[in-house]
Amino acid sequence: RKEVEQDPGPFNVPEGATVAFNCTYSNSASQSFFWYRQDCRKEPKLLMSVYSSGNEDGRFTAQLNRASQYISLLIRDSKLSDSATYLCVVNITGNQFYFGTGTSLTVIP
Amino acid sequence: DTAVSQTPKYLVTQMGNDKSIKCEQNLGHDTMYWYKQDSKKFLKIMFSYNNKELIINETVPNRFSPKSPDKAHLNLHINSLELGDSAVYFCASSQSFGNTEAFFGQGTRLTVV
């Protein structure tokens, strides 16, 4: 069983739409959680960390539900520049980062 | 200055050859990683080193041998390259405490022909 499960999509949404991505993780001892963004032929880059209380960064909102072992990312007012692959990442012991398969997003004009 | 740098960026080689990829980080992190991203885009952890010591080896063939001369460097040597080794290899680093994120190098696109 994979450590992190994510719906691969693809998600094709119009500009201005709201889109939500979800992922689940299998190890209840997981310590920290992140959303990364990966553009085509580039390295993954941190989008935002995910905290138990939920956190927001501009148009992006991340939520964590430890009881259900579930992480989400909400993107409001989608921009063309949001088109990328979004990776759910779980850190289990402080030095084991496990990635989901990624969810592909294309924002259409 | 690039925080995590790996070389080369592109590597094309024939089956059976031996090749190395180098990685260096200037972030002062104590943990470094190698990841493989295959054609399906899945990022799979291969190795994790903490302070030069191997802590994760995710069922990677023995042909892959990581070497960490110091905590700022983690190189990957691959023997007897096979077609299936073609992928993008990413080096990354992080601090093992504080639940902070991992930083990635730009990747090495390896093509075995």
Side-chain angles (χ1 to χ4, degrees):
Chain A
R1 182 182 175 184
K2 286 184 180 170
E3 295 286 347
V4 183
E5 299 274 4
Q6 240 184 296
D7 178 355
F11 284 64
N12 299 314
V13 302
E15 270 187 291
T18 295
V19 61
F21 305 137
N22 304 312
C23 90
T24 57
Y25 60 95
S26 60
N27 193 324
S28 59
S30 298
Q31 295 184 0
S32 52
F33 310 88
F34 309 90
W35 283 100
Y36 274 68
R37 170 187 170 138
Q38 187 173 24
D39 292 292
C40 188
R41 302 181 79 87
K42 298 286 189 182
E43 72 274 24
K45 290 185 179 176
L46 178 71
L47 176 67
M48 58 196 301
S49 301
V50 187
Y51 303 116
S52 297
S53 53
N55 48 300
E56 191 173 304
D57 182 1
R59 298 181 293 108
F60 299 84
T61 301
Q63 299 262 335
L64 167 64
N65 184 322
R66 282 190 183 269
S68 304
Q69 296 181 196
Y70 170 93
I71 306 161
S72 66
L73 176 69
L74 184 77
I75 305 175
R76 290 182 299 278
D77 187 23
S78 299
K79 311 287 184 196
L80 296 178
S81 57
D82 293 335
S83 298
T85 297
Y86 290 83
L87 300 157
C88 179
V89 184
V90 170
N91 188 347
I92 296 177
T93 62
N95 47 27
Q96 295 182 51
F97 287 85
Y98 288 92
F99 283 72
T101 51
T103 300
S104 174
L105 171 67
T106 301
V107 181
I108 304 163
Chain B
D1 283 343
T2 304
V4 182
S5 59
Q6 54 182 109
T7 55
K9 192 171 180 182
Y10 299 96
L11 186 53
V12 180
T13 188
Q14 289 187 322
M15 280 175 58
N17 283 350
D18 303 340
K19 289 293 178 186
S20 292
I21 308 172
K22 295 187 175 181
C23 179
E24 176 182 5
Q25 53 96 4
N26 62 7
L27 296 166
H29 289 163
D30 60 359
T31 306
M32 295 185 72
Y33 313 81
W34 278 108
Y35 284 83
K36 178 180 180 181
Q37 188 168 44
D38 58 25
S39 57
K40 294 183 181 176
K41 308 299 183 188
F42 178 52
L43 261 168
K44 183 171 169 55
I45 191 167
M46 300 173 68
F47 300 103
S48 171
Y49 268 72
N50 179 259
N51 282 317
K52 304 191 299 173
E53 297 212 2
L54 178 67
I55 52 174
I56 294 177
N57 178 342
E58 289 276 331
T59 60
V60 177
N62 290 340
R63 299 182 295 104
F64 290 79
S65 52
K67 283 191 172 51
S68 182
D70 55 62
K71 73 175 191 176
H73 295 83
L74 181 62
N75 304 321
L76 184 65
H77 188 75
I78 316 170
N79 290 326
S80 304
L81 278 154
E82 300 177 357
L83 293 177
D85 297 333
S86 295
V88 182
Y89 292 83
F90 285 101
C91 177
S93 74
S94 72
Q95 199 62 22
S96 60
F97 56 87
N99 292 326
T100 56
E101 72 270 25
F103 292 79
F104 281 78
Q106 291 185 312
T108 296
R109 187 169 295 273
L110 171 67
T111 304
V112 183
V113 297

